[in-house]
Structures are given as C-alpha cells and as structure tokens.
C-alpha cells in the first residue's frame, strides 16, 4: 500500500522530532489542494517537497575555536629570495650533519673521520656562500623593484623613464588630436 503526501510529511516530521540527524530533509508545509485536485493559487505543489540547505550547527555559548586567524607579521619573501633562502637552509643542514658525523667518527676512531672533516670544511664554505647569496639576492631584488628608496636605487631611474615615456605618449596624442581637428575643419593653414 502506498503512502499519501500527508502521511509522508508526518513521517518526515516524526523522523526529525526523533533526532535522526542534522542532515534530514526539510519539507515545505502542506498546502491543501482544491476540491478538484489542482494546485492552489500560491504556486506551490504540496506533493513536491521543497528542498532547503541544511543549517549550520549553532554555536554553543561556551564554544571557543581551537585557533584564531592572525594577519602575517611580515610580507612573503619574493620568489628569488625565497629560493636562495631554501637552498641556503638545505646546505647548512647538510653541513651540520656532516660536522656531527665527523665528530662521532672521531670519537669512535673510525677511518671515516678524516673524509668527514674534509666534507664539513667544504660544507662550511658552501654554506657561507649560500647565506651570502640570500643577502645579495635580497639586496638586488630590493634595488630592482624599488623597495629601498635611496638615490642609487635603479628603481627610481626606471620609474623616471616610465613617466617620461607616458608624458611623450600623451603629448603625441594631443598633437594628433590637434592635427585631426584642424584637418577636419577643411581649413588650410597659411604660414
């Protein structure tokens, strides 16, 4: 035996009342049909349930999130500087591992102690270069992109050139407009 619309609606309400979960389907209230079985004037069909988005769970009064979003203290490093910094950190880490292994091999009086000491000396040179590379890359990026505002900054010269080019383009455009207006009027200029 099939269940009618009203019976289905009551069954759905019963499920919600029983606490079947927050994701239960919510249906629209029943709208009585006319005596001849047509849909009422408000346009809703009682036989088709209205779907609604499930509600977000309400916060309890004592609810406290595990973490809070805070704005970053510093801006993100530029890509070339970040690449150099990652490279430097990796080289320094490998150098520290080499130095520790050299120390442990020396304590164990192993034959690997001497090659490891040589490796750690070479690693120290490369790590120093890596750290200096980060510093130089950062300075170059600042110079090129105008972060440092000092008279020797090449960014100032670049901005100056851009402004000069824009001024010349506007002047040329104004000149073309004047020529177009004079020529369009059909007048000849006499010198």
């Amino acid at each position: 035996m099939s269940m009618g619309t009203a019976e289905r609606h009551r069954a759905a309400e019963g499920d919600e009342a029983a606490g079947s979960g927050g994701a239960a389907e919510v249906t629209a209230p029943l709208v009585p049909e006319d005596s001849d079985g047509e849909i009422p004037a408000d346009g809703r069909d009682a036989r088709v349930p209205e779907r609604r988005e499930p509600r977000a769970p309400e916060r309890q009064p004592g609810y406290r999130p595990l973490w809070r979003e805070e704005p970053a203290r510093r801006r993100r490093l530029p890509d070339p500087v970040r690449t150099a910094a990652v490279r430097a950190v990796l080289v320094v880490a490998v150098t520290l591992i080499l130095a520790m292994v050299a120390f442990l091999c020396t304590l164990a009086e192993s034959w690997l102690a001497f090659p490891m000491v040589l490796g750690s000396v070479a690693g120290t040179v490369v790590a120093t270069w890596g750290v200096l590379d980060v510093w130089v890359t950062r300075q170059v990026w600042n110079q090129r992109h105008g972060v440092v505002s000092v008279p020797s900054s090449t960014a100032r010269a670049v901005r100056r050139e851009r402004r000069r080019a824009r001024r010349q383009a506007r002047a040329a455009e104004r000149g073309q407009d004047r020529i177009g207006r004079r020529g369009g009027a059909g007048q000849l200029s006499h010198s």
Side-chain angles (χ1 to χ4, degrees):
M1 182 172 174
S2 67
M3 205 185 289
T5 305
E7 292 162 340
R8 269 189 246 133
H9 184 70
R10 276 190 230 111
E13 284 178 350
D15 287 346
E16 285 178 11
S20 62
E25 185 177 308
V26 179
T27 57
L30 281 179
V31 178
E33 295 179 354
D34 290 343
S35 58
D36 56 353
E38 291 191 15
I39 298 173
D42 66 356
R44 287 191 299 171
D45 188 355
R47 294 169 289 197
V48 179
E50 184 180 313
R51 293 185 183 260
R52 295 184 187 158
E53 294 293 322
R55 288 184 185 164
E58 294 180 13
R59 291 188 175 173
Q60 298 154 353
Y63 174 78
R64 202 177 74 207
L66 292 175
W67 63 83
R68 233 181 350 188
E69 294 284 332
E70 292 182 4
R73 290 191 184 119
R74 285 196 235 167
R75 289 197 337 246
R76 174 180 160 142
L77 285 174
D79 286 342
V81 179
R82 195 170 61 249
T83 303
V86 168
R87 187 170 46 236
V89 165
L90 290 175
V91 170
V92 167
V94 169
T95 303
L96 288 174
I97 291 171
L98 282 172
M100 186 182 65
V101 170
F103 176 72
L104 293 176
C105 287
T106 304
L107 289 180
E109 297 179 3
S110 170
W111 63 272
L112 270 176
F114 184 66
M116 286 295 149
V117 167
L118 290 179
S120 23
V121 168
T124 304
V125 171
V126 175
T128 305
W129 168 82
V131 172
L132 284 174
D133 182 45
V134 173
W135 183 72
V136 168
T137 307
R138 185 167 160 262
Q139 294 299 323
V140 167
W141 194 91
N142 285 343
Q143 279 281 324
R144 285 187 184 157
H145 295 87
V147 176
V148 176
S149 182
V150 292
S152 63
S153 174
T154 56
R156 274 191 183 181
V158 169
R159 283 196 301 264
R160 202 175 300 125
E161 288 297 321
R162 283 189 196 140
R163 279 196 301 267
R164 187 177 300 136
R166 276 195 300 255
R167 254 186 260 122
Q168 288 174 350
R170 277 189 298 232
E173 191 177 309
R174 280 194 300 262
Q176 290 295 332
D177 286 346
R178 283 189 204 129
I179 291 171
R181 277 184 288 185
R182 264 194 256 154
Q187 297 173 351
L188 295 175
S189 61
H190 301 285
S191 302

mmCIF file of all heavy atoms in Angstrom, residues 161-190:
data_model
loop_
_atom_site.group_PDB
_atom_site.id
_atom_site.type_symbol
_atom_site.label_atom_id
_atom_site.label_comp_id
_atom_site.label_asym_id
_atom_site.label_seq_id
_atom_site.Cartn_x
_atom_site.Cartn_y
_atom_site.Cartn_z
ATOM 1 N N GLU A 161 61.972 56.910 -16.202
ATOM 2 C CA GLU A 161 61.852 56.600 -17.632
ATOM 3 C C GLU A 161 60.398 56.333 -18.019
ATOM 4 O O GLU A 161 59.929 56.776 -19.063
ATOM 5 C CB GLU A 161 62.716 55.384 -17.988
ATOM 6 C CG GLU A 161 64.201 55.668 -17.984
ATOM 7 C CD GLU A 161 64.584 56.694 -19.034
ATOM 8 O OE1 GLU A 161 64.030 56.655 -20.142
ATOM 9 O OE2 GLU A 161 65.431 57.552 -18.733
ATOM 10 N N ARG A 162 59.681 55.596 -17.181
ATOM 11 C CA ARG A 162 58.268 55.301 -17.473
ATOM 12 C C ARG A 162 57.447 56.580 -17.515
ATOM 13 O O ARG A 162 56.594 56.768 -18.387
ATOM 14 C CB ARG A 162 57.689 54.354 -16.421
ATOM 15 C CG ARG A 162 58.106 52.925 -16.608
ATOM 16 C CD ARG A 162 57.309 52.029 -15.667
ATOM 17 N NE ARG A 162 57.959 50.739 -15.567
ATOM 18 C CZ ARG A 162 58.090 50.047 -14.463
ATOM 19 N NH1 ARG A 162 57.602 50.504 -13.319
ATOM 20 N NH2 ARG A 162 58.689 48.879 -14.449
ATOM 21 N N ARG A 163 57.696 57.467 -16.549
ATOM 22 C CA ARG A 163 56.953 58.739 -16.537
ATOM 23 C C ARG A 163 57.251 59.552 -17.782
ATOM 24 O O ARG A 163 56.354 60.136 -18.383
ATOM 25 C CB ARG A 163 57.316 59.546 -15.277
ATOM 26 C CG ARG A 163 56.569 59.109 -14.044
ATOM 27 C CD ARG A 163 56.670 60.161 -12.965
ATOM 28 N NE ARG A 163 58.033 60.452 -12.575
ATOM 29 C CZ ARG A 163 58.691 59.884 -11.568
ATOM 30 N NH1 ARG A 163 58.086 58.963 -10.841
ATOM 31 N NH2 ARG A 163 59.929 60.219 -11.273
ATOM 32 N N ARG A 164 58.534 59.604 -18.173
ATOM 33 C CA ARG A 164 58.922 60.361 -19.370
ATOM 34 C C ARG A 164 58.240 59.789 -20.603
ATOM 35 O O ARG A 164 57.708 60.527 -21.437
ATOM 36 C CB ARG A 164 60.438 60.314 -19.529
ATOM 37 C CG ARG A 164 60.927 61.224 -20.648
ATOM 38 C CD ARG A 164 62.441 61.226 -20.758
ATOM 39 N NE ARG A 164 63.057 61.697 -19.529
ATOM 40 C CZ ARG A 164 64.112 61.115 -18.954
ATOM 41 N NH1 ARG A 164 64.662 60.051 -19.487
ATOM 42 N NH2 ARG A 164 64.630 61.615 -17.853
ATOM 43 N N ALA A 165 58.204 58.437 -20.718
ATOM 44 C CA ALA A 165 57.568 57.801 -21.881
ATOM 45 C C ALA A 165 56.065 58.105 -21.904
ATOM 46 O O ALA A 165 55.492 58.370 -22.971
ATOM 47 C CB ALA A 165 57.803 56.293 -21.849
ATOM 48 N N ARG A 166 55.415 58.080 -20.728
ATOM 49 C CA ARG A 166 53.976 58.388 -20.669
ATOM 50 C C ARG A 166 53.721 59.831 -21.090
ATOM 51 O O ARG A 166 52.770 60.110 -21.808
ATOM 52 C CB ARG A 166 53.434 58.138 -19.261
ATOM 53 C CG ARG A 166 53.063 56.687 -19.002
ATOM 54 C CD ARG A 166 52.201 56.573 -17.763
ATOM 55 N NE ARG A 166 52.882 57.077 -16.581
ATOM 56 C CZ ARG A 166 53.405 56.325 -15.624
ATOM 57 N NH1 ARG A 166 53.325 55.015 -15.709
ATOM 58 N NH2 ARG A 166 54.005 56.854 -14.579
ATOM 59 N N ARG A 167 54.587 60.751 -20.611
ATOM 60 C CA ARG A 167 54.423 62.152 -20.980
ATOM 61 C C ARG A 167 54.544 62.339 -22.485
ATOM 62 O O ARG A 167 53.747 63.050 -23.103
ATOM 63 C CB ARG A 167 55.473 63.008 -20.260
ATOM 64 C CG ARG A 167 54.877 63.807 -19.129
ATOM 65 C CD ARG A 167 55.885 64.761 -18.518
ATOM 66 N NE ARG A 167 56.420 64.167 -17.301
ATOM 67 C CZ ARG A 167 57.696 63.906 -17.042
ATOM 68 N NH1 ARG A 167 58.618 64.231 -17.911
ATOM 69 N NH2 ARG A 167 58.054 63.361 -15.924
ATOM 70 N N GLN A 168 55.546 61.684 -23.076
ATOM 71 C CA GLN A 168 55.736 61.814 -24.527
ATOM 72 C C GLN A 168 54.558 61.227 -25.289
ATOM 73 O O GLN A 168 54.110 61.790 -26.289
ATOM 74 C CB GLN A 168 57.039 61.126 -24.943
ATOM 75 C CG GLN A 168 58.277 61.881 -24.503
ATOM 76 C CD GLN A 168 59.552 61.105 -24.790
ATOM 77 O OE1 GLN A 168 59.504 59.934 -25.142
ATOM 78 N NE2 GLN A 168 60.693 61.771 -24.618
ATOM 79 N N ALA A 169 54.031 60.113 -24.821
ATOM 80 C CA ALA A 169 52.884 59.489 -25.496
ATOM 81 C C ALA A 169 51.664 60.403 -25.424
ATOM 82 O O ALA A 169 50.936 60.570 -26.416
ATOM 83 C CB ALA A 169 52.572 58.139 -24.865
ATOM 84 N N ARG A 170 51.442 61.036 -24.271
ATOM 85 C CA ARG A 170 50.300 61.952 -24.149
ATOM 86 C C ARG A 170 50.477 63.170 -25.042
ATOM 87 O O ARG A 170 49.536 63.635 -25.676
ATOM 88 C CB ARG A 170 50.128 62.390 -22.690
ATOM 89 C CG ARG A 170 49.358 61.388 -21.851
ATOM 90 C CD ARG A 170 49.042 61.997 -20.523
ATOM 91 N NE ARG A 170 50.295 62.303 -19.844
ATOM 92 C CZ ARG A 170 50.615 61.939 -18.609
ATOM 93 N NH1 ARG A 170 49.765 61.264 -17.886
ATOM 94 N NH2 ARG A 170 51.774 62.242 -18.074
ATOM 95 N N ALA A 171 51.713 63.686 -25.104
ATOM 96 C CA ALA A 171 51.971 64.861 -25.945
ATOM 97 C C ALA A 171 51.742 64.505 -27.411
ATOM 98 O O ALA A 171 51.143 65.292 -28.165
ATOM 99 C CB ALA A 171 53.398 65.353 -25.729
ATOM 100 N N ALA A 172 52.192 63.314 -27.811
ATOM 101 C CA ALA A 172 51.992 62.897 -29.203
ATOM 102 C C ALA A 172 50.505 62.728 -29.499
ATOM 103 O O ALA A 172 50.023 63.110 -30.573
ATOM 104 C CB ALA A 172 52.738 61.592 -29.467
ATOM 105 N N GLU A 173 49.769 62.199 -28.537
ATOM 106 C CA GLU A 173 48.324 62.004 -28.724
ATOM 107 C C GLU A 173 47.614 63.354 -28.859
ATOM 108 O O GLU A 173 46.739 63.526 -29.702
ATOM 109 C CB GLU A 173 47.760 61.223 -27.532
ATOM 110 C CG GLU A 173 46.354 60.740 -27.729
ATOM 111 C CD GLU A 173 45.903 59.910 -26.543
ATOM 112 O OE1 GLU A 173 46.633 58.979 -26.147
ATOM 113 O OE2 GLU A 173 44.816 60.207 -26.014
ATOM 114 N N ARG A 174 48.004 64.312 -28.022
ATOM 115 C CA ARG A 174 47.407 65.649 -28.117
ATOM 116 C C ARG A 174 47.724 66.289 -29.457
ATOM 117 O O ARG A 174 46.884 66.945 -30.066
ATOM 118 C CB ARG A 174 47.893 66.529 -26.968
ATOM 119 C CG ARG A 174 47.178 66.274 -25.666
ATOM 120 C CD ARG A 174 47.462 67.391 -24.686
ATOM 121 N NE ARG A 174 48.888 67.511 -24.385
ATOM 122 C CZ ARG A 174 49.486 67.004 -23.306
ATOM 123 N NH1 ARG A 174 48.769 66.354 -22.418
ATOM 124 N NH2 ARG A 174 50.775 67.158 -23.121
ATOM 125 N N GLY A 175 48.965 66.088 -29.922
ATOM 126 C CA GLY A 175 49.350 66.635 -31.225
ATOM 127 C C GLY A 175 48.523 66.033 -32.341
ATOM 128 O O GLY A 175 48.079 66.741 -33.258
ATOM 129 N N GLN A 176 48.271 64.732 -32.292
ATOM 130 C CA GLN A 176 47.450 64.082 -33.312
ATOM 131 C C GLN A 176 46.019 64.598 -33.263
ATOM 132 O O GLN A 176 45.380 64.790 -34.294
ATOM 133 C CB GLN A 176 47.458 62.558 -33.097
ATOM 134 C CG GLN A 176 48.785 61.901 -33.419
ATOM 135 C CD GLN A 176 49.130 62.018 -34.889
ATOM 136 O OE1 GLN A 176 48.271 62.108 -35.761
ATOM 137 N NE2 GLN A 176 50.427 62.072 -35.173
ATOM 138 N N ASP A 177 45.497 64.829 -32.058
ATOM 139 C CA ASP A 177 44.132 65.362 -31.928
ATOM 140 C C ASP A 177 44.034 66.753 -32.555
ATOM 141 O O ASP A 177 43.067 67.064 -33.247
ATOM 142 C CB ASP A 177 43.719 65.436 -30.450
ATOM 143 C CG ASP A 177 43.426 64.059 -29.887
ATOM 144 O OD1 ASP A 177 43.292 63.112 -30.685
ATOM 145 O OD2 ASP A 177 43.344 63.932 -28.645
ATOM 146 N N ARG A 178 45.062 67.600 -32.328
ATOM 147 C CA ARG A 178 45.047 68.959 -32.898
ATOM 148 C C ARG A 178 45.078 68.898 -34.412
ATOM 149 O O ARG A 178 44.347 69.626 -35.090
ATOM 150 C CB ARG A 178 46.242 69.754 -32.395
ATOM 151 C CG ARG A 178 46.082 70.246 -31.003
ATOM 152 C CD ARG A 178 47.216 71.202 -30.649
ATOM 153 N NE ARG A 178 47.383 71.212 -29.214
ATOM 154 C CZ ARG A 178 48.519 71.028 -28.570
ATOM 155 N NH1 ARG A 178 49.624 70.830 -29.238
ATOM 156 N NH2 ARG A 178 48.562 71.066 -27.268
ATOM 157 N N ILE A 179 45.933 68.024 -34.949
ATOM 158 C CA ILE A 179 46.039 67.887 -36.405
ATOM 159 C C ILE A 179 44.711 67.402 -36.966
ATOM 160 O O ILE A 179 44.223 67.902 -37.974
ATOM 161 C CB ILE A 179 47.187 66.931 -36.788
ATOM 162 C CG1 ILE A 179 48.526 67.567 -36.450
ATOM 163 C CG2 ILE A 179 47.127 66.582 -38.271
ATOM 164 C CD1 ILE A 179 49.702 66.628 -36.584
ATOM 165 N N GLY A 180 44.086 66.450 -36.289
ATOM 166 C CA GLY A 180 42.806 65.916 -36.749
ATOM 167 C C GLY A 180 41.716 66.967 -36.741
ATOM 168 O O GLY A 180 40.894 67.043 -37.646
ATOM 169 N N ARG A 181 41.685 67.831 -35.731
ATOM 170 C CA ARG A 181 40.673 68.880 -35.666
ATOM 171 C C ARG A 181 40.886 69.932 -36.731
ATOM 172 O O ARG A 181 39.945 70.402 -37.355
ATOM 173 C CB ARG A 181 40.669 69.531 -34.284
ATOM 174 C CG ARG A 181 39.859 68.732 -33.280
ATOM 175 C CD ARG A 181 39.830 69.463 -31.996
ATOM 176 N NE ARG A 181 41.197 69.317 -31.451
ATOM 177 C CZ ARG A 181 41.595 69.746 -30.272
ATOM 178 N NH1 ARG A 181 40.765 70.401 -29.513
ATOM 179 N NH2 ARG A 181 42.804 69.559 -29.843
ATOM 180 N N ARG A 182 42.150 70.296 -36.946
ATOM 181 C CA ARG A 182 42.421 71.312 -37.973
ATOM 182 C C ARG A 182 42.114 70.774 -39.355
ATOM 183 O O ARG A 182 41.491 71.436 -40.159
ATOM 184 C CB ARG A 182 43.896 71.731 -37.913
ATOM 185 C CG ARG A 182 44.089 72.963 -37.092
ATOM 186 C CD ARG A 182 45.455 73.515 -37.329
ATOM 187 N NE ARG A 182 46.259 73.178 -36.158
ATOM 188 C CZ ARG A 182 47.560 73.043 -36.136
ATOM 189 N NH1 ARG A 182 48.251 73.217 -37.249
ATOM 190 N NH2 ARG A 182 48.194 72.762 -35.054
ATOM 191 N N GLY A 183 42.536 69.582 -39.642
ATOM 192 C CA GLY A 183 42.309 68.990 -40.962
ATOM 193 C C GLY A 183 40.837 68.687 -41.189
ATOM 194 O O GLY A 183 40.329 68.788 -42.296
ATOM 195 N N GLY A 184 40.109 68.379 -40.138
ATOM 196 C CA GLY A 184 38.705 68.034 -40.272
ATOM 197 C C GLY A 184 37.841 69.242 -40.596
ATOM 198 O O GLY A 184 36.771 69.148 -41.170
ATOM 199 N N ALA A 185 38.301 70.429 -40.232
ATOM 200 C CA ALA A 185 37.510 71.644 -40.473
ATOM 201 C C ALA A 185 37.621 72.118 -41.912
ATOM 202 O O ALA A 185 36.881 72.992 -42.348
ATOM 203 C CB ALA A 185 37.951 72.748 -39.518
ATOM 204 N N GLY A 186 38.564 71.550 -42.651
ATOM 205 C CA GLY A 186 38.700 71.917 -44.056
ATOM 206 C C GLY A 186 39.437 73.212 -44.271
ATOM 207 O O GLY A 186 39.338 73.819 -45.334
ATOM 208 N N GLN A 187 40.161 73.701 -43.251
ATOM 209 C CA GLN A 187 40.882 74.958 -43.390
ATOM 210 C C GLN A 187 42.344 74.642 -43.692
ATOM 211 O O GLN A 187 42.917 73.703 -43.180
ATOM 212 C CB GLN A 187 40.796 75.758 -42.110
ATOM 213 C CG GLN A 187 39.400 76.156 -41.751
ATOM 214 C CD GLN A 187 39.365 76.814 -40.373
ATOM 215 O OE1 GLN A 187 40.350 76.799 -39.663
ATOM 216 N NE2 GLN A 187 38.221 77.368 -40.038
ATOM 217 N N LEU A 188 42.929 75.470 -44.476
ATOM 218 C CA LEU A 188 44.348 75.360 -44.774
ATOM 219 C C LEU A 188 45.093 76.352 -43.904
ATOM 220 O O LEU A 188 44.660 77.481 -43.715
ATOM 221 C CB LEU A 188 44.614 75.629 -46.248
ATOM 222 C CG LEU A 188 44.018 74.625 -47.231
ATOM 223 C CD1 LEU A 188 44.267 75.113 -48.651
ATOM 224 C CD2 LEU A 188 44.638 73.272 -47.019
ATOM 225 N N SER A 189 46.210 75.937 -43.415
ATOM 226 C CA SER A 189 46.984 76.863 -42.592
ATOM 227 C C SER A 189 47.956 77.629 -43.480
ATOM 228 O O SER A 189 48.551 77.064 -44.386
ATOM 229 C CB SER A 189 47.746 76.101 -41.518
ATOM 230 O OG SER A 189 48.636 75.201 -42.110
ATOM 231 N N HIS A 190 48.056 78.941 -43.284
ATOM 232 C CA HIS A 190 48.967 79.775 -44.064
ATOM 233 C C HIS A 190 50.100 80.190 -43.177
ATOM 234 O O HIS A 190 49.893 80.683 -42.078
ATOM 235 C CB HIS A 190 48.230 81.016 -44.579
ATOM 236 C CG HIS A 190 47.066 80.661 -45.442
ATOM 237 N ND1 HIS A 190 47.214 80.209 -46.716
ATOM 238 C CD2 HIS A 190 45.733 80.703 -45.178
ATOM 239 C CE1 HIS A 190 46.009 79.976 -47.226
ATOM 240 N NE2 HIS A 190 45.094 80.274 -46.306
#
